Amino acid sequence: MNNKMNNSMNDKVIITVATTGAFPTKEHNPAVPMTPEEIAQDVYECWQAGAAIAHLHMRDDNGLGTMDKARFKKTVELIKQKCDIVLNLTTSGDLNATDETRMEHLIELKPEMGSYDCGTMNWAHSTVFMNHPAFLEKLGQVMIDNQVKPEIEIFDAGMIYNSLYYMKKGIIQAPAHYQFVLGAPGGSTATVENLVYLKSQLPAGSTWSALGIGQGHIPIMLAALALGGHIRVGLEDNVFYAKGRLAKSNAELVERAVRLVKEANKEVASPDEARAILQLKARV
């Protein structure tokens, strides 16, 4: 990206919507989309509202997180029929998935982005979110081979240092894109102080986004805007719009994010502007 384009993008903010996740159900909020058809329609409405990237998880017939390649394929096809939003497919939608099932949809579908969770952690004080070094090396190479840009998900500071190690080994390519996930039980809490520290550790030339889970949603979004980052919203991270009031839809959360971006005297990035900012590979 040349300097002129880079300068023109400085005030552009990428809004990512995380529609579904692996855990929230319709019992938590009836608006959580679950089927490929529901997710695709939801993503379309979020694109209309101003989202440039959709971070996608799949659910099985029982509403549980799944890495079912066929469901990813169907959902991706339905979305592409509706809009040009950037698709970011999870690699961690099922704690019981194998290394192979966490990657095979990337190989077949070759999305523009995929999640790269840069370390193992205790998850919600109840289980282990396993990202073994051998898996991270394999995943990094699969992403390079299939031109999928990693979204490096950071749940605590140690994961940043892991990412620097993999960058030195050539498993992650620069310029890197980071997503700070704050407030997950077992990870760093959703505080502005933690966000400032994490941002300070990023390698030069990186882009970054941030989210706060639950009640950290608004403070982290406002802090990310103030610090020059991008933002993520969605029912995966927060089923409430305000204390005691469920969000009506993912689109409602995107609409609020759009308003906050504009109030911060910035502009909402379109999908093609997000592609330029993140230097995504051109698709045929």
Side-chain angles (χ1 to χ4, degrees), residues 43-230:
V43 167
Y44 173 65
E45 292 170 3
C46 291
W47 170 78
Q48 288 182 308
I53 299 175
H55 175 62
L56 301 182
H57 284 251
M58 296 296 114
R59 301 296 185 91
D60 65 17
D61 291 337
N62 296 314
L64 301 176
T66 179
M67 295 304 299
D68 183 357
K69 182 173 60 176
R71 287 183 182 256
F72 275 105
K73 183 177 181 180
K74 183 175 182 179
T75 305
V76 166
E77 289 173 348
L78 289 172
I79 292 171
K80 287 185 174 181
Q81 291 170 11
K82 295 174 181 288
C83 64
D84 68 340
I85 198 166
V86 176
L87 296 180
N88 174 2
L89 307 187
T90 189
T91 61
S92 60
D94 176 4
L95 291 175
N96 296 312
T98 66
D99 289 359
E100 288 68 30
T101 57
R102 292 178 67 177
M103 298 185 289
E104 61 184 7
H105 62 307
L106 301 183
I107 297 169
E108 177 167 338
L109 300 176
K110 295 177 172 51
E112 292 176 270
M113 301 183 73
S115 64
Y116 188 94
D117 301 280
C118 214
T120 296
M121 63 182 288
N122 290 341
W123 183 261
H125 308 302
S126 61
T127 188
V128 175
F129 178 24
M130 181 66 71
N131 293 289
H132 191 281
F135 168 71
L136 291 177
E137 296 205 12
K138 288 188 291 185
L139 177 60
Q141 192 60 52
V142 163
M143 288 181 159
I144 290 170
D145 292 344
N146 292 277
Q147 296 189 336
V148 178
K149 176 138 188 174
E151 179 195 61
I152 305 169
E153 296 201 355
I154 302 296
F155 292 82
D156 62 42
M159 293 187 183
I160 288 186
Y161 306 126
N162 286 343
S163 77
L164 298 178
Y165 169 79
Y166 292 124
M167 289 180 76
K168 287 180 181 178
K169 288 196 70 173
I171 293 166
I172 296 174
Q173 297 179 328
H177 179 65
Y178 288 80
Q179 179 72 255
F180 296 128
V181 183
L182 299 176
S188 293
T189 55
T191 66
V192 174
E193 291 82 1
N194 281 341
L195 178 59
V196 170
Y197 174 74
L198 292 171
K199 176 184 178 295
S200 74
Q201 301 305 305
L202 292 178
S206 300
T207 52
W208 64 279
S209 175
L211 69 99
I213 293 174
Q215 64 184 7
H217 187 72
I218 296 295
I220 295 302
M221 180 161 49
L222 294 173
L225 290 173
L227 291 167
H230 304 286

